[in-house]
Amino acid sequence: MAMAGTKYGDCDDKVAGKSQQVDTASTSWRADLAKVDVWYASYGSNMWKPRFLCYIHGGQAEGMIKSCVGSMDKSPPKEILWKTFPHRLFFGRESSFFWGVGGVAYTNPLTNLNDQTHMLEQFNDVLFQENWLNVDSDSPLFDLAALQLVENQGSISLVPASDSLYGNVVCLGKEGVIPILTLTCTLSAIEKFKSGEIPLRPPPKAYANTLIRGLVEEGRFSKEEAEAYIDNAASKPL
């Protein structure tokens, strides 16, 4: 019993030490990236603020079938603005984690983006949740080197999330000196959508209604205009 007790104590010390190291590493990258502002451009359900804030505060909005864990930093967006970009909105895949059966929004793509200001650290937590990854990570998915790269190249595929729904970060330009970033599928996935290997699918009703609410409640579209915009995106081939 004495030996077993000693062995258990050694094991316990090592586990505790490892946990402390992970926490320190996580705290370190978060503290560094929290100093860097980016604009997060949303074109899907995150245009509706109550739904987007699920990624910040946790929980689920009307129509969602799963809850979000929320970000480590619960700070709200610093600012919200609307911009138009010459990109195409479309819907694809059979189902999604948060909305169930039906397509989700992608951009190859879009007009009328809802841009929300976040720190790069918080942007990582959105990335984690969009791709069903653990928020409590000891390293970021998207760091300062990746930010520099995407500003230079226009888009980059994130290796840990390359097979996920939103594994591609795209830089749409800048608002002042702050980069505007959005998430979409990889370029290889675009080709698979075009070939039919990955299906194009209209969004489920609850998901489409969330996009419509985002467009209408912010005063950008009438309800009829928003419905027509979503219907056109869902029916138009790539």
Side-chain angles (χ1 to χ4, degrees), residues 17-170:
K18 183 177 180 182
S19 175
Q20 187 174 9
Q21 289 171 3
V22 169
D23 290 344
T24 301
S26 177
T27 301
S28 176
W29 73 258
R30 288 182 179 279
D32 290 339
L33 298 189
K35 302 170 186 175
V36 182
D37 282 349
V38 296
W39 284 94
Y40 165 57
S42 62
Y43 53 85
S45 61
N46 289 337
M47 290 189 294
W48 189 41
K49 189 175 179 180
R51 188 273 174 266
F52 176 75
L53 289 179
C54 293
Y55 279 145
I56 306 301
H57 301 147
Q60 65 189 87
E62 182 181 339
M64 296 172 68
I65 62 172
K66 299 283 186 181
S67 293
C68 300
V69 297
S71 299
M72 303 294 279
D73 177 357
K74 308 295 185 186
S75 302
K78 294 180 178 180
E79 189 178 350
I80 295 175
L81 61 82
W82 288 79
K83 293 181 74 71
T84 298
F85 294 95
H87 293 270
R88 163 75 194 285
L89 174 68
F90 70 96
F91 298 91
R93 296 193 181 268
E94 295 282 6
S95 62
S96 66
F97 183 77
F98 291 117
W99 300 95
V101 176
V104 290
Y106 290 102
T107 181
N108 185 14
L110 166 285
T111 60
N112 297 298
L113 291 178
N114 181 11
D115 297 286
Q116 305 187 9
T117 309
H118 301 285
M119 295 171 292
L120 189 55
E121 176 258 344
Q122 206 174 36
F123 178 74
N124 270 275
D125 282 347
V126 175
L127 262 176
F128 286 131
Q129 292 176 83
E130 285 280 21
N131 292 294
W132 315 338
L133 299 172
N134 187 5
V135 169
D136 190 14
S137 173
D138 61 354
S139 61
L141 269 179
F142 190 83
D143 58 14
L144 292 175
L147 178 60
Q148 184 66 55
L149 194 61
V150 77
E151 286 187 67
N152 292 336
Q153 295 186 356
S155 69
I156 60 170
S157 178
L158 303 171
V159 174
S162 60
D163 294 327
S164 301
L165 291 184
Y166 297 99
N168 198 24
V169 178
V170 179

